[in-house]
Amino acid sequence: MTTRSSALPGRFSGLSIKLIATISAVILLVEIVVYLPSLANFRASWLDDRLRVGVVGARVLDAVPDVMALPRSLTDRLLTSAGAYAIVYRRDGQSQLIELADPVTPELVVTADMRQRDLPSLIMGAIDTLLAGPGRTLRIIGPGDLDQTMVELLMPERPLRQDMLDYSGQVVFISLALALLTALTLYLLASYLFIHPVRRLTENMLAFRQAPENGSLIIAPSARRDEIGIAERELAAMETDIFTLLRQRRHLADLGLAVAKINHDLRNTLTSAQLLSDQVATLDDPKVQRLAPRLVTTLDRAIGFAQSVLDYGRETALPPVLAPTRLRPLVDEAAFDARLSAHPRITFTNATPDTLLLNIDSGQMGRVLLNLLKNAREALEAAGTKIEAPEVSFTAVPGTQGITLSVSDNGPGLAPRARDKLFVAFEGSARAGGTGLGLAIAREIVEAHGGQISLVDQPVGTRFDLVLPNALLVKNQST
C-alpha cells in the first residue's frame, strides 16, 4: 500500500480562502464601479450647495440698485459663507461682481460648468478634482433662480478635494465592512452547502486510500439529490467495489498459492506415472498394448493442464520488455515448436515479409503465436481425414489502423458455445477438454502490447487476428 502523499488543507485554506477572497474581490469590484458615479454625485451636490449660496448673493445684488453702496463687511461675510473669492451675477447681458476687500489673483483656474449634468462629464470632473494638485481655483458656473440669469463663483478647489477624500475614505471603510460581512455570510452558507460536503468527500478518499480493506471507511452517502449527492453515492459504490475486489484478490491469492503447491506436487506425481506408463507400454500383453496409448494420452493431458496453470500464474505477472524483433523468424520458431514445420499432413505457410521489424517482447509474443498455431494444428488433427488438404497460414499486414497478424486454418471451426467465453481463463477454450488458459494468456499479452486479439468470422475454418498499434512498427528496417 502506498503512503499518503498529500495532507488535507486547513479549514481556512484551499477552497475556503479562495471562496472568501473571490467573494470579497467581486464585492470590491462592484463597489469600485458604483464608487465613481457616487463620487461624481457627491461633487455635483457640493458644487450645487455653493451655487445656492451664490444665488442668494445674486439676489442681494439684484435687490440693491447700487452695489457699490453695500457695506464691505456685508459682502465679505457673504463671500466667506460661500467660501468664494468672488461672485458674479449675469442677467440680460449685464454683469455684477462681489469680491473680497483684498482681491485674490488665482494662478490656475479650472471651470466646473454645472449646466452639463451628463454622467460621463460629472465622473471626469470628479476624477480630475481628486487627482488635482494644490493651488487650483474653481470657476463654478450655474444657472440663477430666474430665467436668463447665470451665477459664477470663484473659489479655491482645496476644500472640495478634501471633502471628496473624506467621502472616499468613508466609502472605502463601508465597502470593506460590507465586503467582509457579505463574504462571511456567503462563506458560512457555501460552507454548509458545498465546502463541508466536499471536504467530507476529500477526507474520506484520503482515509480510504490508506486502508481500502477497512469496510468501515466506506462513505455513507447523504440523501442529497444534487451533484454532490451523486458524487457521494458513486464514491460509496466505487469504494464498495474496491473493497470487494481487494477481498476477492486476497482470497484468490491465497487459493492460488495453495493450488500452485498442489499443482506442483500433482505434476511430479503425473510425471512419475507417465514414466511408469511408458514402461508398461513396452509389455507384449495385447490388452496392455490396447490400453496403454489411452493411458499415455490421459497423462499427457493432465501434465499439460498442470503446466498451463503454472504458466498462467507466472506469465501474466510479467510486463513486456520491448525490443526490435524480426517477425518472420519468430513465426518460424513458433511453428517449429507447435510441430507444424514438418507435419506429415498439414501445410504451414508463413507469409510474413522478411523486412518486418516490430518493437515487441519476443518471448511473450512467441508464446502467443505458439498457442494459436498449436490450437490450429490440434483442430486439424482432431478433424482427421474430414479435411482433404489441411493448411495453417500466417500473415502480417501493416495498415492505417495497426499491424494485423492473422493465424488461420481450414479446419472445422469453433462451436458456437466455445465463442461466448473464448478468452476467459478456465471457462473458454478453442477445443474440447482445454482449460482456456492459452487464449486468456494470449489476450493479456496482446493487450499489454497495446493491441487487441479477436476471432474473425469466416465461412470455413478459424481465424484469429492480432492488431498491434503502428507505434510498435520499427521504421528503419534496412538492418
Side-chain angles (χ1 to χ4, degrees), residues 59-73:
R59 288 180 180 179
V60 174
L61 293 177
D62 192 42
V64 178
D66 187 5
V67 178
M68 302 300 296
L70 288 174
R72 176 60 64 179
S73 59

Side-chain angles (χ1 to χ4, degrees), residues 48-313:
D48 287 339
D49 290 340
R50 297 304 182 273
L51 280 176
R52 280 191 288 270
V53 177
V55 171
V56 173
R59 288 180 180 179
V60 174
L61 293 177
D62 192 42
V64 178
D66 187 5
V67 178
M68 302 300 296
L70 288 174
R72 176 60 64 179
S73 59
L74 177 61
T75 57
D76 286 349
R77 285 199 303 270
L78 181 63
L79 292 172
T80 302
S81 63
Y85 299 143
I87 298 176
V88 178
Y89 179 63
R90 302 182 188 277
R91 184 181 64 178
D92 299 331
Q94 297 180 354
S95 299
Q96 291 179 314
L97 172 65
I98 301 177
E99 61 179 348
L100 294 173
D102 296 327
V104 177
T105 303
E107 297 180 358
L108 180 61
V109 179
V110 291
T111 300
D113 192 346
M114 300 310 296
R115 293 171 298 181
Q116 297 181 359
R117 312 292 295 198
D118 58 289
L119 186 59
S121 298
L122 294 177
I123 291 177
M124 294 302 297
I127 295 176
D128 180 67
T129 300
L130 196 62
L131 300 179
R136 294 204 318 182
T137 300
L138 273 177
R139 177 173 172 252
I140 310 172
I141 303 175
D145 57 342
L146 299 176
D147 294 338
Q148 304 300 323
T149 60
M150 187 176 64
V151 178
E152 295 184 17
L153 271 75
L154 201 64
M155 60 177 298
E157 190 181 32
R158 183 181 57 81
L160 172 59
R161 184 173 182 273
Q162 184 61 45
D163 288 347
M164 291 176 63
L165 290 175
D166 294 340
Y167 175 77
S168 299
Q170 295 176 3
V171 171
V172 170
F173 175 77
I174 295 174
S175 300
L176 288 176
L178 180 62
L180 292 178
L181 180 61
T182 306
L184 180 61
T185 303
L186 292 178
Y187 166 75
L188 294 177
L189 181 62
S191 178
Y192 175 75
L193 293 177
F194 306 109
I195 296 180
H196 178 70
V198 171
R199 189 179 182 88
R200 176 171 174 260
L201 287 172
T202 307
E203 290 175 346
N204 178 264
M205 286 188 287
L206 291 175
F208 187 80
R209 179 174 177 267
Q210 303 306 308
E213 296 182 357
N214 186 353
S216 63
L217 296 178
I218 298 176
I219 190 171
S222 64
R224 297 178 60 149
R225 302 181 63 85
D226 54 9
E227 288 80 357
I228 292 181
I230 295 175
E232 290 176 344
R233 289 187 288 273
E234 292 300 320
L235 178 62
M238 182 183 67
E239 290 177 344
T240 302
D241 293 341
I242 293 175
F243 172 80
T244 303
L245 290 175
L246 288 177
R247 176 169 290 187
Q248 291 177 351
R249 186 184 69 174
R250 185 198 300 176
H251 291 176
L252 290 175
D254 296 340
L255 180 62
L257 181 62
V259 170
K261 293 180 179 179
I262 295 173
N263 192 64
H264 183 270
D265 295 338
L266 177 62
R267 184 169 178 270
N268 292 336
T269 303
L270 291 174
T271 301
S272 300
Q274 186 182 34
L275 294 176
L276 181 62
S277 65
D278 291 340
Q279 295 178 1
V280 172
T282 59
L283 299 177
D284 296 333
D285 192 332
K287 292 183 178 181
V288 172
Q289 292 294 327
R290 187 175 67 255
L291 297 177
R294 295 184 180 179
L295 177 61
V296 172
T297 301
T298 302
L299 290 176
D300 286 341
R301 182 177 299 175
I303 293 173
F305 176 81
Q307 183 63 42
S308 63
V309 173
L310 290 177
D311 292 342
Y312 178 74

Side-chain angles (χ1 to χ4, degrees), residues 307-473:
Q307 183 63 42
S308 63
V309 173
L310 290 177
D311 292 342
Y312 178 74
R314 179 174 62 253
E315 186 73 29
T316 57
L318 300 175
V321 180
L322 305 182
T325 305
R326 291 197 178 277
L327 187 60
R328 184 178 181 86
L330 186 65
V331 174
D332 289 336
E333 182 180 354
F336 178 80
D337 294 338
R339 292 183 293 174
L340 275 175
S341 299
H343 198 280
R345 293 185 57 250
I346 301 175
T347 302
F348 174 69
T349 303
N350 183 3
T352 307
D354 294 334
T355 58
L356 186 58
L357 192 65
L358 298 179
N359 198 31
I360 57 176
D361 187 318
S362 59
Q364 293 188 9
M365 195 58 65
R367 179 171 174 80
V368 173
L369 299 177
L370 172 61
N371 181 271
L372 295 177
L373 294 175
K374 181 181 177 182
N375 287 346
R377 175 184 60 80
E378 291 176 348
L380 291 173
E381 288 177 344
T385 57
K386 296 179 181 179
I387 308 299
E388 295 183 358
E391 180 182 2
V392 177
S393 62
F394 182 89
T395 60
V397 181
T400 56
Q401 301 298 324
I403 308 160
T404 303
L405 313 181
S406 300
V407 177
S408 59
D409 63 67
N410 60 347
L414 293 178
R417 62 181 180 82
R419 298 170 178 261
D420 297 337
K421 298 182 179 180
L422 191 60
F423 299 100
V424 180
F426 300 105
E427 295 188 20
S429 176
R431 57 185 174 85
T435 62
L437 293 178
L439 292 177
I441 294 174
R443 183 200 63 183
E444 293 185 354
I445 292 176
V446 173
E447 290 179 351
H449 281 75
Q452 293 180 343
I453 182 173
S454 60
L455 175 67
V456 180
D457 291 331
Q458 57 182 19
V460 178
T462 305
R463 173 183 166 186
F464 285 94
D465 277 0
L466 286 70
V467 180
L468 300 178
N470 283 324
L472 298 181
L473 181 63

